[in-house]
Amino acid sequence: MRTSLALAVSAALVAGTALGLAPTAQAADTSIRFVDITGDGGTVLKANVVTPAGADAAARHPVIVLPTSWAMPQVEYLAQAQKLADSGYVVVSYNSRGFWQSGGEIETAGPRDIADASKVIDWALANTPADPDHVGMAGVSYGAGISLLAAAHDPRIKAVAALSGWADLIESIYSGRTQHLQAAALLGGAGYLTGRPGPELQQILGDFLSSNLAKEEDMIAWGRKRSAVEQIDRINANGAAIMLGNAWGDTIFPPNQYASFYEKLTGPKRLEFRPGDHATAEATGLLGLPNDTWTSAHRWFDHYLKGVDNGVDREQPVQLKPRSDAGYEGYPDWKSVDARRRTIALEDSEHIWANVDSGADGGIVMLSNLLDQFFQAPPTASIPLLPRAFAGVWQSERYGTPQRVRGTARLHTTVTPTAESGTFVAYLYDVGPLGVGKLISNAPYTFHGKVPGKAFSVDLDLFSTAYDVPAGHRLALVVDTVDPLYIEHNPTGAQLTFSSPTADPSYVSVPLRAE
């Protein structure tokens, strides 16, 4: 894992260096400065400032602050910063504390990170021709999380574009009470490789990966402190215009938590989902290439910081690009996305042994959904060949018309364990005529403290998606107990029984686009 991380970060640095040089040649009339900004507690933050051509103290320009992504160098946003400066913005990008040359330790969007964002705004207003009445923040991943939290604490922020970020850290990497192993290991490893994790982060990461249940409440409290959804009242009171963008297959910050947060916002808001994995929907824009996500972000800032009447406020605020179709779909709100549902009864009882990977899994973090984005090649499994001793399988009839899955599939079932703790993962597949299943969605579920032999009901939301099932195919719901994406909690020799009591039938509810 460490070698892979080193290679990945090295590649990012090479690309970042190219970003830092190529845009300069393309936009020589903009001014780029590399500066030191004093953050919270005197910590030095390494930053760069891009100003419009001919800018001087006599005229004020809207300003956008860009905190870097986790483990990325400060040149990450230079291509976009120059595009923004060319259209009249002052742009200040800074390396988040604890990473690269910036001082301090990694706080994981803690109070000092939020205070840093306000310090950077202070600096921009004092040292650039920035307009104090037109302040925006944006970022990818870690920068998105910091931007949302900063909007709760600094009322000067009038607009935010939070791309591939999180609003609920617990639902992102601990959904279904299950540790997202590959996501946490990737973030933790990259943090050690490119920065200086503080003692609190080291403790939390150690407890998380070691499944220290005695520290579960502490970990959840730590995560909530770093979740914008816990600050929703302050964000709404401050009234910043919030744009959220993410990928359907984000294996670090799944889309469900963004959609739920979006519904709680009361100010101007926009939600965009596209195919891809974590930050891949924005990646070409960081290289200075045409990119739908960054185009939307520019339009968002143009309207809410510059007052441009570009129609973004009159469009359907929820914009979705399905994984199997090139066109965008607009909806008035998230609830309208899955207003129509098809219920598939899970009538047969399934008894499976734990601790063995059946062959059904969610893929590899940062890779599988990238392949789906560019080649429509999601993880697959041969449904007829899945070993029934280790996987429960239910299938629908073949559909005569396409089934346009949109939104969040929900599983309701009854589980009887042979041990007090356990984990299972649910998968929804598109199954073709030859029995090959293409993964539509998945989600893990972990339980503790149950009575062996006593049944209990489970309601589980799978990760939201937009996928078109072709005519002649069927849907399959598969459950097993091992997936490399997650930490499982099944004791050796444990067994799980999935049943459908007459008084409480089991089913999977699949959201479909209203025709």
Side-chain angles (χ1 to χ4, degrees), residues 225-245:
K225 186 186 297 184
R226 289 157 171 82
S227 297
V229 70
E230 300 292 329
Q231 305 287 328
I232 190 66
D233 290 341
R234 298 183 66 163
I235 292 173
N236 287 334
N238 287 341
I242 307 291
M243 173 188 159
L244 305 171

Side-chain angles (χ1 to χ4, degrees), residues 346 410-414 457-460 504-509:
L346 310 179
R410 298 187 174 97
L411 169 65
H412 175 78
T413 189
T414 295
S457 63
V458 170
D459 289 288
L460 176 64
D504 186 19
S506 294
Y507 61 87
V508 59
S509 174

Side-chain angles (χ1 to χ4, degrees), residues 39-40 45 67 70 94 96-99 105-119 137 142-153 166 169 198 200-201 204 221-228 231:
D40 184 58
L45 305 174
W70 186 270
Y94 68 96
S96 305
R97 71 165 51 225
F99 286 105
E105 297 175 324
I106 301 172
E107 301 280 342
T108 321
R112 288 185 175 179
D113 289 303
I114 309 313
D116 284 345
S118 291
K119 291 287 188 181
M137 283 195 71
Y142 192 45
I146 290 175
S147 295
L148 287 175
L149 287 163
H153 293 272
W166 79 91
L169 195 55
E200 186 178 30
L201 174 58
I204 290 292
W222 178 87
R224 284 177 174 164
K225 186 186 297 184
R226 289 157 171 82
S227 297
Q231 305 287 328

Side-chain angles (χ1 to χ4, degrees), residues 495-511:
Q495 303 167 51
L496 298 175
T497 299
F498 296 85
S499 59
S500 184
T502 303
D504 186 19
S506 294
Y507 61 87
V508 59
S509 174
V510 180

Side-chain angles (χ1 to χ4, degrees), residues 152-459:
H153 293 272
D154 196 325
R156 295 175 297 181
I157 300 170
K158 304 303 181 186
V160 172
L163 312 178
S164 289
W166 79 91
D168 189 328
L169 195 55
I170 301 303
E171 281 301 306
S172 294
I173 60 174
Y174 195 50
S175 69
R177 207 179 177 185
T178 307
Q179 298 99 319
H180 293 211
L181 172 62
Q182 290 185 15
L186 180 65
L187 292 173
Y192 277 100
L193 187 64
T194 64
R196 299 166 299 282
E200 186 178 30
L201 174 58
Q202 294 182 44
Q203 182 67 49
I204 290 292
L205 190 61
D207 290 337
F208 185 84
L209 293 176
S210 66
S211 303
N212 187 353
L213 285 177
K215 296 291 186 178
E216 184 180 35
E217 290 186 6
D218 293 341
M219 290 186 285
I220 290 174
W222 178 87
R224 284 177 174 164
K225 186 186 297 184
R226 289 157 171 82
S227 297
V229 70
E230 300 292 329
Q231 305 287 328
I232 190 66
D233 290 341
R234 298 183 66 163
I235 292 173
N236 287 334
N238 287 341
I242 307 291
M243 173 188 159
L244 305 171
N246 203 358
W248 293 119
D250 194 321
T251 45
I252 296 181
F253 302 131
N256 299 47
Q257 45 93 31
Y258 247 16
S260 176
F261 175 70
Y262 171 84
E263 288 291 272
K264 295 179 175 66
L265 292 169
T266 58
K269 58 183 179 178
R270 186 177 178 92
L271 177 67
E272 300 184 354
F273 286 141
R274 297 176 175 84
D277 207 312
H278 182 65
T280 64
E282 302 84 28
T284 56
L286 294 176
L287 296 170
L289 301 174
N291 180 274
D292 287 355
T293 305
W294 283 105
T295 297
S296 290
H298 284 237
R299 294 180 66 228
W300 191 252
F301 286 128
D302 284 349
H303 181 74
Y304 287 103
L305 294 184
K306 294 169 66 176
V308 176
D309 185 12
N310 55 18
V312 72
D313 57 321
R314 297 187 295 276
E315 296 170 358
Q316 296 274 44
V318 176
Q319 293 287 320
L320 311 181
K321 187 174 185 181
R323 290 162 51 194
S324 49
D325 183 28
Y328 282 88
E329 301 170 358
Y331 298 84
D333 50 40
W334 178 250
K335 295 189 295 292
S336 300
V337 174
D338 59 3
R340 174 173 169 252
R341 289 185 166 270
R342 178 185 294 275
T343 298
I344 302 171
L346 310 179
E347 297 176 342
D348 298 331
S349 180
E350 296 281 354
H351 180 86
I352 63 175
W353 290 81
N355 310 117
V356 177
D357 190 343
S358 70
D361 65 60
I364 301 172
V365 67
M366 294 295 296
L367 177 60
S368 297
N369 292 314
L370 181 66
L371 295 175
D372 186 35
Q373 176 183 356
F374 289 106
F375 305 109
Q376 294 185 12
T380 60
S382 175
I383 304 304
L385 297 181
L386 290 176
R388 296 311 197 259
F390 310 115
V393 179
W394 299 263
Q395 296 192 73
S396 72
E397 75 278 10
R398 295 191 186 278
Y399 298 114
T401 58
Q403 304 296 295
R404 306 189 188 281
V405 179
R406 300 289 186 274
T408 308
R410 298 187 174 97
L411 169 65
H412 175 78
T413 189
T414 295
V415 180
T416 304
T418 60
E420 65 174 4
S421 294
T423 298
F424 69 87
V425 183
Y427 309 89
L428 185 65
Y429 283 100
D430 159 24
V431 185
L434 298 180
V436 175
K438 294 183 177 181
L439 185 65
I440 298 174
S441 184
N442 77 98
Y445 184 89
T446 293
F447 58 88
H448 297 288
K450 298 298 183 181
V451 177
K454 184 175 181 180
F456 63 93
S457 63
V458 170
D459 289 288

